[in-house]
Amino acid sequence: VRPVIVTPSLSGSFIIPLLEKSPEKISAWVPVAPINTEKGRDFFPQLDIPTLIIYGELDEDLGVRSRDDLLLIPTSTKPQVLPGAKHPAYLDQPDLWHQILYNFISALPDSKP
């Protein structure tokens, strides 16, 4: 079983190296305005992992910077912006966050919600 990995903020420093060296170990990625996305710019265009881009509307620094890098992933979603949410967005909009996450995971191949 390959997990769906959710990586908010600081956990970006852990997932980026894994994605570069062993992307086959995960089935999908949900980065929530993670740090260090600039370190993936060289390999993101070759990454073939469903990726849900999500961040808070009021996270104008890290949210926007990471979004721009994550858009290099060909299998990424259109960015999902949680209205009125800061960094970390899921704390300000928990119901919307969970609905978007559920919908994303439900749509994955071989998913059984």
Side-chain angles (χ1 to χ4, degrees):
V1 175
R2 295 178 312 136
V4 173
I5 304 292
V6 178
T7 59
S9 197
L10 187 60
S11 56
S13 62
F14 301 106
I15 190 67
I16 302 295
L18 175 66
L19 290 169
E20 183 175 25
K21 293 181 182 3
S22 303
E24 72 284 352
K25 291 186 177 185
I26 68 171
S27 63
W29 182 29
V30 182
V32 188
I35 66 168
N36 291 342
T37 55
E38 70 280 356
K39 294 181 179 178
R41 290 179 190 150
D42 290 340
F43 70 89
F44 280 174
Q46 290 77 45
L47 206 56
D48 186 26
I49 295 173
T51 302
L52 170 62
I53 300 173
I54 189 164
Y55 65 99
E57 174 186 33
L58 303 177
D59 188 359
E60 296 174 350
D61 184 31
L62 190 53
V64 172
R65 280 186 298 151
S66 65
R67 176 207 60 205
D68 291 347
D69 292 333
L70 295 167
L71 283 169
L72 295 170
I73 301 170
T75 51
S76 69
T77 64
K78 175 182 172 192
Q80 303 297 302
V81 182
L82 301 183
K86 301 179 291 294
H87 181 88
Y90 48 84
L91 294 179
D92 292 325
Q93 290 283 358
D95 293 338
L96 181 56
W97 153 255
H98 283 100
Q99 187 62 58
I100 292 170
L101 181 62
Y102 177 84
N103 291 346
F104 175 73
I105 292 172
S106 297
L108 294 172
D110 301 322
S111 177
K112 296 176 188 156

